[in-house]
Amino acid sequence: MKRLALLLLLALIQSASAAERPNILFIFSDDHAMNAIGAYGSKAAKTPNLDRLAKEGMLFRHCLVTNSICGPSRATVLTGKYNHLNGFPDNSSFFDNTQQTYPKLLQKAGYQTCVIGKWHLESEPTGFDHWKVLPGQGSYYNPDFLTPQGKERIEGYATDVITDEALKWLKEGRDQSKPFMLCYWHKAPHREWNPGPQELGLYDNKTIPEPATLFDDYNGRASPAREQQMSIDKDMTINSDLKMPWQNGDGEEPKFGGRKGWYNRMTDAQRAIWDAHYNPINEAFRKANLQGKELVRWKYQQYMKDYLSCVAGVDRNVGRVLEYLKESGLDKNTIVVYSADQGFYLGEHGWFDKRWMYEESLHTPLIVRWPGVVKPGTENKNLVSTLDFAETFLEAAGVASPKDMQGRSMVPLLKGETVPDWRAAHYYHYYEYPQPHHVAPHYGVRSETGYKLIHYYLTDEWELFDLNKDPAELKSLYTDNDYATIRESLMSQMKELQVKYQATNPTAPPPKVSTRPLNPGKGKTKGKAKE
Ligand code: SGN
Ligand code: CA
């Protein structure tokens, strides 16, 4: 009899927990290219924890951003809207924090909400029960954080510190009777790709394979590809990006920020580890006196080693959080999402940075583990978007999406369902110009069938790519007669999407808040966006 009662009780508890709303752990890193994740096929990147997450979840091959740059991408994720509607088209914007966001809706529905780490939206976070965010870009070493109580500096390496703070909130900070949404948002692997003490040297004695387009000549494309300022050759700096102390002969001495800024910020102990790693590399480099292609090759290797070391720091820390979820039993009812604000160039076209509608920066990683819903080890090839995140989180939490959000919930895709009317083409618009990096503003569409149309509207130039035949996007077919039908069909898809997204006047400057008229709380988030 007793046994029966016990069994009944167990069954009751189980059905109650099955009906419980899931927690959401939203891991978002900064500038993490798909090509730097093992699960996406990288041969060089060491990402065992992300790879395991992919094995236990679903990996999306085509998660596309709406504007490949930090603040705008985050604004879209929060609002489920394009930048011309959420007022944040470029990094010098200021987020109207009175507008509707998914964290506010989840909070209203009884979720505990929290954001820790990179924010870059300049106004104070709203809709969060707890927040602790980096000012602007934040620092890799001994980062400052903005909190409702003011500024706080925490000693350590940003990726580790952000994780410590996230774990602290998970363990002690939240109301445990409620489900949670934790935005655990990393600074790494953003420029200048400063690795943490634990990862320095991880790629010593390794040679990272070069992309086929490292020495792209930009023929076959419109003028913007030639006129950018994001090339490893011309724009990657020795004294900051490549960690080299300035010396006579390097050109003008950098006056502020850059290496000086972050190097002086380190503690003596951190600096000793740093110097032990970089001094021999720097000496060898000075001695070698490389020129031309050899110099580009060296810069590429050093860039990639730093970048991948930053990625490895993110991966190790993701592992710490996943371990805690497991140990606490939270893993059973927690959706884990890994993504980044955009992709990044890892030497493709000779570049670093992002911004373009070309594949490497248009795509961003997306891996989702959702026990009992997502079949482990699966892949999805639909054109999903960061525009869809808000509505996906809301549906997962059982909250209805407001009509004015512009994405679509990915929950059916996560359940493995085929959705015949999923988007056939994705709309994109990049605005920030001319600095940094001098990438001409453009908008366009990328179709599910592998065609892409881009309009650089300042010079009225167009590009059309056939990704099936030219995956590296080296030859525009815009004026090729064989592609006339495809061009017309892309053009009409683009116009339809502009109507759908209320973007029918794409060349007009989008509404943007660039000052601070919004009553941002106690005004702790000082200053304009520092890029
Ligand atoms: C800084 C970087 C740029 C980068 C922007 C925007 N320069 O300005 O290379 O494109 O941030 O990045 S740096 O020398 O200061 O690193 S974003 O991810 O925040 O959009
Ligand atoms: Ca970014």
Side-chain angles (χ1 to χ4, degrees), residues 245 501 510:
Y501 296 130

Side-chain angles (χ1 to χ4, degrees), residues 183-203:
C183 294
Y184 162 49
W185 288 7
H186 283 291
K187 168 183 172 59
H190 191 273
R191 196 180 179 193
E192 296 98 353
W193 322 294
N194 290 357
Q198 294 199 48
E199 276 77 32
L200 278 172
L202 192 64
Y203 290 89

